[in-house]
Amino acid sequence: MNVKIKGTGSAVPKKCVTNDDLSMLMDTSDEWIRSRTGIESRHLAVEETTTSLATEAAKRALADAGITADELDLIIAATVTPDRFLPNLACEVQREIGAQHAVAFDINAACSGFLFGLGTAAMYLTNGVYQNALVIGAETLSKIMDWNDRSTCVLFGDGAGAAVVSAEQEKGGILSMVQGSDGARGMVLNCDNRPVNNPYIKNDTALAYVSMDGQAVYKFAVRTVPESIEAAVKKAGLTIEDIDLFVLHQANYRIIESVAKRLHQPMEKFPTNLQEFGNISAASVPILLDNVKNRGMIRTGSRIVLAGFGAGLTWGAMVLEW
Ligand code: UT7
């Protein structure tokens, strides 16, 4: 069985916040943010939640795939910012869309989450366990940002992207996948959860927020992303020149330029949307995939690399034939 993406969808909050808007709240500037990252604005949740964004993206992906929620066997949601500890985000979406026959669970692999979710769904589909899966990447990162830390809060945004994937006889679909993790270096990008707190230990620690060693993450990304893409392309029996589009995690335009340079590929093959949305962790790759599809950049037979990297540390690359 081959595993094909049958439909995509995305949703972002209504409120768009520009770099100039942020410069009125903190000591930063459009010039600093734009020149260091390429980001010009981001969408931040005001009325929306991770569940509402994920649900909207899911409904659009189902409509695009031409299947009903009833036909879903599996829902995997990748997120680091679910609305609740319990129930998980995938079950919340299941309830909202009425996917009564689906098994639903979450994955936390930060910015690689959508890739890991897609890889997990692919295992069920190739082995004939399930027929149709919905994979979602959804975040409201703004709630775990320290809005007094200009070195992190300006980089991130909120939103959701989703893809319907199905098992098919037809050739193509997912050709290869490479994944990796390095927990030993994990603290370069972290956010603590609640501390242990029970009748035997009292902990009144204040809520924790995202903390990042930006330069360490930058160095990790510019080395690991091209390496993982090269490995995935080789595994698919292709060369880098065979790839039409590289849909990368949208953290920083300079990282994407560096990856393009290392792979000796033109920037035209690397679509971006970080200018408008910033970094949305697990949602970045599926939102961009949906955007490029809507821009008419994907045709039947197009060869596409999806690649993510981030906290964990985690990374993943996948080669698809559309
Ligand atoms: O999903 C994965 C997520 N993370 C990433 O991909 C992050 C990868 N790293 C990066 O993109 C870059 O390291 C950053 C964009 C985060 C930072 O760029 P940088 O060139 O590494 O800057 P820096 O951290 O070395 O900071 C340079 C200066 C500092 O001032 P001093 O110490 O030189 O006086 C910072 O305090 O820029 C200052 N700064 C800011 N200034 C204005 C930091 N944040 C800001 C800000 N506005 N928002």
Side-chain angles (χ1 to χ4, degrees):
M1 278 294 176
N2 295 312
V3 176
K4 295 200 129 185
I5 295 186
K6 305 298 289 179
T8 60
S10 62
V12 293
K14 277 196 218 84
K15 184 155 188 66
C16 180
V17 177
T18 65
N19 294 343
D20 284 333
D21 292 334
L22 289 184
S23 71
M24 292 199 253
L25 301 176
M26 63 191 79
D27 182 16
T28 190
S29 65
D30 178 55
E31 199 283 325
W32 192 96
I33 302 171
R34 204 185 278 253
S35 63
R36 289 292 212 289
T37 69
I39 297 167
E40 296 166 18
S41 64
R42 71 286 298 141
H43 290 243
L44 301 184
V46 178
E47 292 161 16
E48 302 84 355
T49 62
T50 303
T51 304
S52 73
L53 292 164
T55 301
E56 195 51 45
K59 285 181 178 169
R60 291 176 184 168
L62 285 169
D64 189 40
I67 72 162
T68 61
D70 213 33
E71 295 173 79
L72 286 175
D73 307 301
L74 174 67
I75 302 174
I76 299 178
T79 184
V80 297
T81 48
D83 295 323
R84 301 189 165 85
F85 284 126
L86 314 164
N88 65 39
L89 174 62
C91 282
E92 299 250 85
V93 173
Q94 174 186 32
R95 178 196 63 227
E96 292 300 310
I97 63 176
Q100 52 189 320
H101 305 301
V103 167
F105 60 87
D106 288 4
I107 279 185
N108 175 341
C111 309
S112 314
F114 180 76
L115 267 293
F116 284 22
L118 208 49
T120 306
M123 297 304 150
Y124 285 102
L125 301 178
T126 7
N127 291 312
V129 179
Y130 298 129
Q131 174 63 38
N132 297 312
L134 173 68
V135 183
I136 303 165
E139 308 284 7
T140 44
L141 294 171
S142 58
K143 70 188 176 201
I144 58 166
M145 288 301 135
D146 176 354
W147 288 93
N148 293 311
D149 176 9
R150 65 179 183 171
S151 69
T152 52
C153 70
V154 303
L155 306 172
F156 297 92
D158 301 333
V164 171
V165 276
S166 300
E168 304 252 317
Q169 298 286 359
E170 215 180 299
K171 79 170 193 57
I174 297 175
L175 303 182
S176 70
M177 183 173 69
V178 163
Q179 296 175 319
S181 306
D182 181 3
R185 286 192 288 165
M187 290 313 282
V188 299
L189 178 47
N190 71 83
C191 179
D192 287 349
N193 202 331
R194 292 187 195 177
V196 171
N197 191 24
N198 58 48
Y200 306 99
I201 176 166
K202 280 285 155 247
N203 251 316
D204 299 323
T205 323
L207 278 180
Y209 295 98
V210 169
S211 153
M212 179 171 74
D213 176 347
Q215 290 185 3
V217 178
Y218 192 98
K219 283 183 200 145
F220 149 70
V222 296
R223 221 195 66 203
T224 312
V225 177
E227 279 175 7
S228 60
I229 291 175
E230 276 168 342
V233 169
K234 192 172 171 202
K235 213 167 160 183
L238 300 173
T239 66
I240 293 290
E241 285 65 35
D242 293 326
I243 304 301
D244 300 302
L245 278 183
F246 296 85
V247 176
L248 303 195
H249 172 51
Q250 300 288 289
N252 184 319
Y253 195 79
R254 290 190 296 149
I255 293 177
I256 297 170
E257 273 184 328
S258 164
V259 174
K261 202 168 155 203
R262 284 184 192 218
L263 296 175
H264 305 290
Q265 294 299 295
M267 272 307 280
E268 293 70 56
K269 285 190 177 185
F270 291 75
T272 55
N273 65 7
L274 59 81
Q275 295 83 348
E276 181 179 354
F277 301 128
N279 179 346
I280 324 181
S281 193
S284 277
V285 169
I287 294 178
L288 181 59
L289 183 64
D290 186 48
N291 291 167
V292 295
K293 201 165 137 285
N294 294 338
R295 287 182 214 159
M297 293 172 76
I298 303 181
R299 294 191 191 85
T300 305
S302 291
R303 285 165 177 160
I304 301 164
V305 161
L306 306 182
F309 65 91
L313 298 171
T314 58
W315 58 93
M318 187 178 267
V319 181
L320 300 165
E321 189 174 289
W322 206 263

